[in-house]
Amino acid sequence: LIDRQPKMRQRGFTLVELMVTISVLALILFAVMPSIGTWLDNTRIRNAADSLQNGLQLARNEAVRRNQNVSFWLVSLNDPAVLSNDCTLSNSSGSWIVSVNSPIGHCADAPSTTSSPMLVTGRPVGDGGRVVVSALQSDGATAGTTVTFNGFGRIVNSDAIGQINVTGTSTGVNYRYLRIAVTPAGLVRMCDPRVTDANDPRKC
C-alpha cells in the first residue's frame, strides 16, 4: 500500500535564528539593566527607612511600657550584616540599637532588664548598607546619633535626632529620597522631602 498522507516537515531553529534571538534578548537586557539597578537600590532605601522608623517607634513604645527612659542609637558596625561588639555611634549608619544605656562595645549583648546597657533589641542595616544615611538634630545641621524617650513618649535629650535622611549612594541617579522625622513630642513619621504639594500626605 502506498502511504498518500502528506509528510510533515520537522523544523527547528537554525543556528543563525538562535544567535539573532540571543542578540535581541541581550540588547533588551542591556537597555533595562540601569532601571533594574535603580529599582533594587530604591527597594533598599525603602527597607532601610522602614527599619529605622520601626526602631524609633519601638524605643518610644518600650519607654512608655516600662515608664522608663529608653534610647534609640545609630551604630556603625565592621560588618553591616552582623550586630557585634565592635560597634560605635554614628550618624551615617542604618544599623540601630534600642537600649537604656549607651550600647558602645555591647551591641551583641543579649537583651536584659538588669545588665547594662539593658539592651532591648537591635538590627544591622545588612544589604541596606548600600544606602546613604544622615541623621541630624532638630536644627537640620548638627549630626545626631540618639533619641531618648521618657515614660510619656516624649524626647528628653537636648541633642536628639530630629530627622534621618535616607537615599542612594551614586551621584546622577534619581533615587527615592525618604526622611524619618521625629518631633519633640516623640511622634515619628516617614515623609518625602521632594514633595512640595501641601495637600500631599508624603510632604515633610
Side-chain angles (χ1 to χ4, degrees):
L1 294 175
I2 299 175
D3 185 1
R4 299 184 181 276
Q5 292 293 324
K7 294 184 177 180
M8 301 293 292
R9 292 182 61 191
Q10 294 184 350
R11 185 175 184 277
F13 291 108
T14 66
L15 182 59
V16 173
E17 290 171 331
L18 191 59
M19 292 301 293
V20 169
T21 302
I22 291 173
S23 298
V24 171
L25 289 175
L27 287 172
I28 293 172
L29 184 61
F30 182 78
V32 301
M33 275 292 283
S35 299
I36 292 173
T38 302
W39 178 80
L40 289 172
D41 286 339
N42 283 335
T43 300
R44 293 185 184 99
I45 291 166
R46 179 69 193 209
N47 290 343
D50 281 338
S51 173
L52 292 164
Q53 182 182 34
N54 291 338
L56 284 160
Q57 291 173 333
L58 189 150
R60 184 174 190 263
N61 293 341
E62 193 68 16
V64 172
R65 188 182 72 83
R66 296 185 181 194
N67 192 27
Q68 177 186 22
N69 286 1
V70 175
S71 298
F72 168 92
W73 313 80
L74 287 176
V75 295
S76 177
L77 306 165
N78 286 345
D79 181 348
V82 179
L83 286 176
S84 56
N85 288 334
D86 57 33
C87 61
T88 58
L89 298 185
S90 171
N91 78 308
S92 59
S93 174
S95 301
W96 54 265
I97 295 289
V98 173
S99 62
V100 174
N101 301 317
S102 172
I104 295 175
H106 295 278
C107 292
D109 285 10
S112 173
T113 57
T114 57
S115 178
S116 189
M118 292 188 256
L119 191 144
V120 178
T121 189
R123 182 172 298 174
V125 67
D127 190 35
R130 293 179 60 182
V131 303
V132 174
V133 175
S134 176
L136 303 171
Q137 297 179 27
S138 57
D139 62 6
T142 308
T145 57
T146 185
V147 180
T148 301
F149 299 93
N150 65 13
F152 296 102
R154 297 183 63 87
I155 294 175
V156 295
N157 58 316
S158 60
D159 59 347
I161 294 171
Q163 60 180 263
I164 305 175
N165 299 306
V166 187
T167 189
T169 57
S170 300
T171 57
V173 180
N174 189 25
Y175 289 120
R176 171 179 284 167
Y177 183 14
L178 296 175
R179 174 178 294 165
I180 298 94
V182 189
T183 70
L187 299 179
V188 180
R189 67 179 289 259
M190 190 184 300
C191 59
D192 187 339
R194 292 176 178 167
V195 174
T196 57
D197 184 353
N199 296 318
D200 193 321
R202 297 174 300 161
K203 185 179 185 298
C204 290

